Amino acid sequence: MEPSPEVYITNFNRNFTGVSATIAGLVPVQAFDLRLVGEALSNCPVPLTKRQAMSLSARAPDDRPFGIWHVRRNTEMRTALWVRDVLRRPVRLVFTSAAQRRHSAFPRWLISKMDAVIATTDEAANYVPNAWAVVPHGVDTRRFTPADNRQAAWAALGYGGARGVAAIGRVRPEKGTDRFVDAMLHVLPKQQDVTALVIGKAGKGDQAFLDSLKAKVAQSGLSDRLLFVGELEGRKMPDVIRALSLLCPLPRYEGYGMTPLEGMSSGVPFVGTDVGYFQQFSSNGQAGLIVDPAQAGPAVAALLGNPDLLAKMSKNARSIARDRYAIEQEADGIARVYEQLWSSA
């Protein structure tokens, strides 16, 4: 009979999201007997199905009073509560919260039922009960690394032009995709060697939003230089990000925000809005610039036009990501919560 793991890491979303990226980075460096549950992720073990995880949860792991289900989404909290409270399995539930705003009623109720909550920022901790620790997300600095030759790395992607700028994330108003498009319509006529990428897909409810952006770009005659490339596989993202010259995330809301951090680890600075953890990432302009959305285009154009400053920021970005936000630091913070939970039994 297969032994029960110490930790179950749930990933129920078929789309590769920021949460998925966080899990994919953490699982390989977490020093526990753990299993991924749900959807597969690159660099992670083959996942268990929900049914398999529920079955294994019937027994406590060896030398532990209970197993831990670490959940990050509403659907995952619901399933974990069923396992603990209906099936009466010997498990405890840990939830990670990045939201820097008040949750709606049902998620608040779900979160209140967790045994421990990990917040990614001090601000996020203010919006959840039972916050045991503040543990900022980290980045896998061994996977997201600078290109040996950025120009060659960009050319190898085949998108055209000599340099690339991108926004990464779901295509929807909250993510500020329209702001990025407006910024690039300012930049591209001034920087003839630059190609801009919108990386991410639109949900069904945002298809009209995407269509309107494509029409706007077409009317500007820049459809061959501002490309909507859709969602890319997670395993491809390091190669794409390290080939960029600049990231430009301009969301209206972000709980934390992993893409600037992945860019920084890849030696790619950013121009972004003052949301999530972006201000801290920027380190007072060393690794990124925080701007009003209307000034994003001029800021990007100015950076691309100043290769010495861009190179300095690129070097700073890599150093800051490696020294302050390595994924191992996040794994250590999570491990302390697990051990505290087990020791409290």
Side-chain angles (χ1 to χ4, degrees):
M1 185 177 294
E2 182 178 356
S4 300
E6 294 173 292
V7 181
Y8 302 81
I9 306 293
T10 56
N11 179 48
F12 293 175
N13 195 329
R14 294 180 179 178
N15 296 319
F16 190 83
T17 66
V19 172
S20 310
T22 295
I23 298 169
L26 276 168
V27 166
V29 299
Q30 287 187 276
F32 295 97
D33 177 17
L34 58 80
R35 301 290 187 278
L36 185 67
V37 183
E39 300 296 328
L41 291 170
S42 60
N43 302 313
C44 294
V46 175
L48 300 172
T49 65
K50 295 179 189 178
R51 184 180 296 275
Q52 288 172 325
M54 290 178 186
S55 177
L56 283 175
S57 294
R59 304 181 305 279
D62 294 342
D63 302 320
R64 299 290 191 186
F66 47 77
I68 290 175
W69 279 57
H70 193 155
V71 296
R72 292 172 170 86
R73 302 176 175 100
N74 291 350
T75 55
E76 296 164 6
M77 283 193 283
R78 291 201 303 266
T79 298
L81 283 171
W82 178 270
V83 173
R84 188 192 67 186
D85 297 347
V86 178
L87 299 182
R88 310 291 292 180
R89 303 305 198 208
V91 300
R92 298 292 185 272
L93 314 183
V94 174
F95 174 71
T96 289
S97 180
Q100 298 193 48
R101 61 187 180 190
R102 182 176 170 83
H103 296 268
S104 56
F106 185 54
R108 288 203 308 274
W109 181 83
L110 290 171
I111 295 168
S112 74
K113 301 301 180 182
M114 299 294 104
D115 294 291
V117 176
I118 297 171
T120 58
T121 65
D122 291 329
E123 182 69 15
N126 292 331
Y127 293 98
V128 291
N130 204 22
W132 283 38
V134 174
V135 182
H137 285 319
V139 63
D140 187 342
T141 58
R142 293 170 297 182
R143 183 167 176 251
F144 290 91
T145 57
D148 293 330
N149 183 319
R150 196 183 307 278
Q151 186 174 11
W154 176 255
L157 296 179
Y159 291 123
R163 296 185 290 172
V165 179
I168 303 172
R170 293 291 294 273
V171 176
R172 57 186 180 188
E174 184 179 77
K175 291 295 185 181
T177 319
D178 53 324
R179 292 173 165 179
F180 176 74
V181 167
D182 288 343
M184 293 305 101
L185 294 183
H186 173 91
V187 170
L188 296 180
K190 302 175 185 296
Q191 303 283 343
Q192 294 295 325
D193 65 337
V194 172
T195 296
L197 306 180
V198 174
I199 302 174
K201 71 176 186 178
K204 292 181 180 179
D206 294 309
Q207 188 60 48
F209 176 67
L210 172 60
D211 292 342
S212 70
L213 295 180
K214 288 181 176 180
K216 189 173 188 177
V217 173
Q219 290 168 7
S220 299
L222 290 168
S223 295
D224 59 336
R225 295 180 56 211
L226 206 173
L227 311 178
F228 295 82
V229 300
E231 186 175 54
L232 302 180
E233 293 180 38
R235 62 183 178 83
K236 295 182 179 179
M237 291 306 297
D239 287 337
V240 174
I241 292 176
R242 69 171 57 96
L244 298 171
S245 295
L246 199 63
L247 272 172
C248 189
L250 302 170
R252 291 176 170 85
Y253 169 79
E254 188 69 70
Y256 187 81
M258 281 299 296
T259 57
L261 196 52
E262 292 169 347
M264 288 166 57
S265 185
S266 306
V268 180
F270 69 93
V271 172
T273 42
D274 188 8
V275 296
Y277 219 59
F278 291 9
Q279 188 71 251
Q280 290 86 341
F281 292 153
S282 73
S283 297
N284 296 316
Q286 294 184 70
L289 300 180
I290 303 300
V291 299
D292 182 272
Q295 296 303 311
V300 169
L303 267 182
L304 292 175
N306 190 337
D308 290 340
L309 177 58
L310 195 59
K312 182 179 179 180
M313 292 179 67
S314 174
K315 184 176 180 180
N316 291 341
R318 172 63 182 176
S319 295
I320 291 167
R322 183 188 59 226
D323 296 343
R324 302 181 193 174
Y325 299 104
I327 193 71
E328 290 81 6
Q329 297 179 39
E330 181 181 7
D332 288 346
I334 292 172
R336 287 192 290 271
V337 173
Y338 292 171
E339 295 291 356
Q340 185 179 358
L341 195 56
W342 279 317
S343 66
S344 67

